[in-house]
Amino acid sequence: MKDTKAAPDIFDAGYIDRVRAFFASRPGGDIKAPLAHVRTFGCQQNVSDSERIKGMLAQMGFGFTEEPEQADLILFNTCAVREHAEDRVFGNVGALKGIKRRRPDVLIALCGCMVQQEHIAQRIKASYPFVGLVFGTHVLHRFPELLYNALAGQERVFEIPEGDGSIVEDLPVCRDGKFKAWLSIMYGCNNFCSYCIVPYVRGRERSRDPERILEEARELVRGGYKEITLLGQNVNSYGKGQEHGVDFPKLLRMLNDIPGDFWIRFMTSHPKDATRRLFDTIAECEKVARHFHLPFQSGSNRILKAMNRGYTREQYIELVEYAKSVVPGISFTSDVIVGFPGETREDFEQTLDLIRRVGFTSLFTFIYSPRKGTPAAGMEDPVPHKVKTEWFSEMTALQEQIAAAHSASMVGSVRRALIEGEGEGYLEARLSENIVVRVEGEKSLIGKFAEVEITGARSWVLTGRVKNVL
Ligand code: SAH
Ligand code: SF4
Ligand code: F3S
């Protein structure tokens, strides 16, 4: 097997032609393009990385297929955030064994956060011999080289250098959406929340140059994109320690100044770095959506401390109240963990209380999952899983009530929305507040802004009608 080595942090397009030549030289390769099946697990950062991977594959002459059975390359971009995420990947990888047996020429590859962990890479080496290429998060830009080595060489390729990671510009991209785009402004995380694996698998926080971000955003707007979502594990610490002096509020202003009709969204914000100045900026930037995803994780100060989150419930609530006062109508969503080691019923009730006070429009709720190598994985965890699942259900029931009441209060209002997709017999329109409304209309409206009147609310599902296409 190959040894790991220090990764150069520029994109070397040299191997693109070699991969093309490799496939062209196969029987029938001159008339049939190779096909790749790329599947993404995990968060938007992974979705965005997969768009770069597909960009590189397209340059190498690949077409894409939804069917692993038809693919010459099957690539899974993996997530490690909870045990369930890893189990899903292993389950799906196991199912590929038969394909490899029937078609030994197929290359099965894994990349992303999960394989960046040493113990997982070892497990794949030992127990999944049909996986021919494994590469970590820090070498995405070397994908053509690694792919070529795995295709042309006799050995399996494992390339998982450790390190802090770098920023590589100018990777090609093949975006999934035609009017909604992801735009990474930074990579990595320095926060080391005690439960979280992300800092270990994504390296240290590093921000892209503001000029490169603006350039990409301008190109998106020119290309007709109507919504740009800025990505980072903690966008509020964008630009920290850099000479250009552009921090996140400044960056938002610069993006807001780009001429055109589009929305700016961003995720994720860490409460310890969200400032009043940020909300003042949002209030003044008409293109920034009236929605804030601000994970609070727990409503108990004792648990927040054990999580190493760096704020209290009082500070969190105060911040939300300030935001609501300067940005009227702003909606809040959040992430919350139930059953952190040592959490008591009292702690949990503090979480319920915070949920009631803030009135989130929706919540992403998780049961704590121990991650190997994180501090929380070594903490006493006496509460049985069954109790945690009961708390979990209690919390989701409370949130449903809150969301339903909020939905009902919106009936009768007229709001701007982006028509973004279709369901069975309806179109889906997303409001600036990040709330979805079902409307009737022609498919040709998809990708357009419209004025939508909210006419009904059933539980948390809103229905409405298009008044005007904008
Ligand atoms: N950087 C983002 C979130 C990254 S992970 C932030 O700080 O908000 C997305 C969510 O997964 C987290 O907000 C947290 O709620 C959840 N999560 C992370 N690690 C977890 C774990 N070990 N068990 C359960 N949920 C976890
Ligand atoms: Fe994980 Fe915390 Fe970093 Fe978010 S801020 S990625 S939860 S360590
Ligand atoms: Fe998962 Fe990695 Fe994102 S662990 S949540 S894909 S940063």
Side-chain angles (χ1 to χ4, degrees), residues 41-46 78-81 113 197-198 201-202 233:
F41 298 79
C43 67
Q44 284 77 8
Q45 187 59 62
N46 259 18
T78 64
C79 171
V81 78
C113 297
I197 195 70
V198 172
V201 294
R202 284 281 176 176
Q233 294 300 340

Side-chain angles (χ1 to χ4, degrees), residues 192-195 297-298 303-309 337 340:
F192 290 95
C193 302
S194 63
Y195 50 81
Q297 313 297 0
S298 168
I303 297 296
L304 284 171
K305 194 152 191 280
M307 286 177 162
N308 190 31
R309 288 290 287 177
I337 297 176
F340 184 81

